[in-house]
Amino acid sequence: MLVRLMYASRATSTPADADLSAILKISREHNPAEGITGLLCFTDGVYVQVLEGGRDAVNARYKHIVSDRRHRDVILLGYEEITERGFPGWTMGQVNLHRLNPALVLKYSETGKLDPYTMSGGAMASLFQEMCASGAIAVS
């Protein structure tokens, strides 16, 4: 059974670009063996991530994230059973905020700032889908 999980968390300290690159590299190396795909966004000290895969694998990864000392204020934005993946080609894609049109964020939020703590899970999911469609995702 496939599931999609979306969460947000605040970083306990601001990661350097190299730290974020290392997180993505490790995810891209380990996710294929676990059958996990997804998308990561980091901005203004906040992570937003979508994980897709088998229920046990995704639940185990989320449990690890919740207990990871690099995260605080972890909130679950959405969890659903799915019939197909939304991000099948990405072991872990990354939102490239330089490619993101600020008007797209404003479409789904109170302000032009990406803040998942003030947005509904449905709005975040729609925003992620539009980010994918608009080419705001980096996969290298």
Side-chain angles (χ1 to χ4, degrees), residues 58-129:
V58 169
N59 289 351
R61 178 65 55 85
Y62 183 64
K63 182 179 177 183
H64 175 76
I65 289 165
V66 168
S67 65
D68 188 324
R69 288 179 280 161
R70 295 175 291 185
H71 299 269
R72 64 179 176 85
D73 302 334
V74 181
I75 59 168
L76 185 63
L77 296 170
Y79 186 93
E80 62 184 326
E81 295 175 356
I82 56 176
T83 56
E84 63 183 38
R85 296 171 192 257
F87 314 108
W90 300 329
T91 54
M92 190 50 59
Q94 178 186 16
V95 175
N96 183 335
L97 295 170
H98 300 294
R99 294 184 193 169
L100 184 59
N101 181 343
L104 186 59
V105 176
L106 187 58
K107 179 178 176 179
Y108 293 102
S109 67
E110 296 175 13
T111 67
K113 180 181 176 186
L114 180 60
D115 182 358
Y117 291 91
T118 63
M119 299 170 66
S120 72
M124 280 302 308
S126 295
L127 176 58
F128 267 45
Q129 289 298 324

Side-chain angles (χ1 to χ4, degrees), residues 5-99:
L5 181 149
M6 178 182 284
Y7 76 90
S9 68
R10 298 184 198 281
T12 54
S13 63
T14 304
D17 288 342
D19 296 329
L20 196 53
S21 293
I23 290 169
L24 288 163
K25 182 178 185 292
I26 290 168
S27 293
R28 291 172 180 153
E29 289 171 356
H30 292 98
N31 285 355
E34 297 177 29
I36 294 176
T37 56
L39 186 59
L40 175 68
C41 177
F42 181 78
T43 183
D44 296 327
V46 175
Y47 293 99
V48 182
Q49 187 170 33
V50 176
L51 300 170
E52 297 176 326
R55 181 173 38 203
D56 291 343
V58 169
N59 289 351
R61 178 65 55 85
Y62 183 64
K63 182 179 177 183
H64 175 76
I65 289 165
V66 168
S67 65
D68 188 324
R69 288 179 280 161
R70 295 175 291 185
H71 299 269
R72 64 179 176 85
D73 302 334
V74 181
I75 59 168
L76 185 63
L77 296 170
Y79 186 93
E80 62 184 326
E81 295 175 356
I82 56 176
T83 56
E84 63 183 38
R85 296 171 192 257
F87 314 108
W90 300 329
T91 54
M92 190 50 59
Q94 178 186 16
V95 175
N96 183 335
L97 295 170
H98 300 294
R99 294 184 193 169

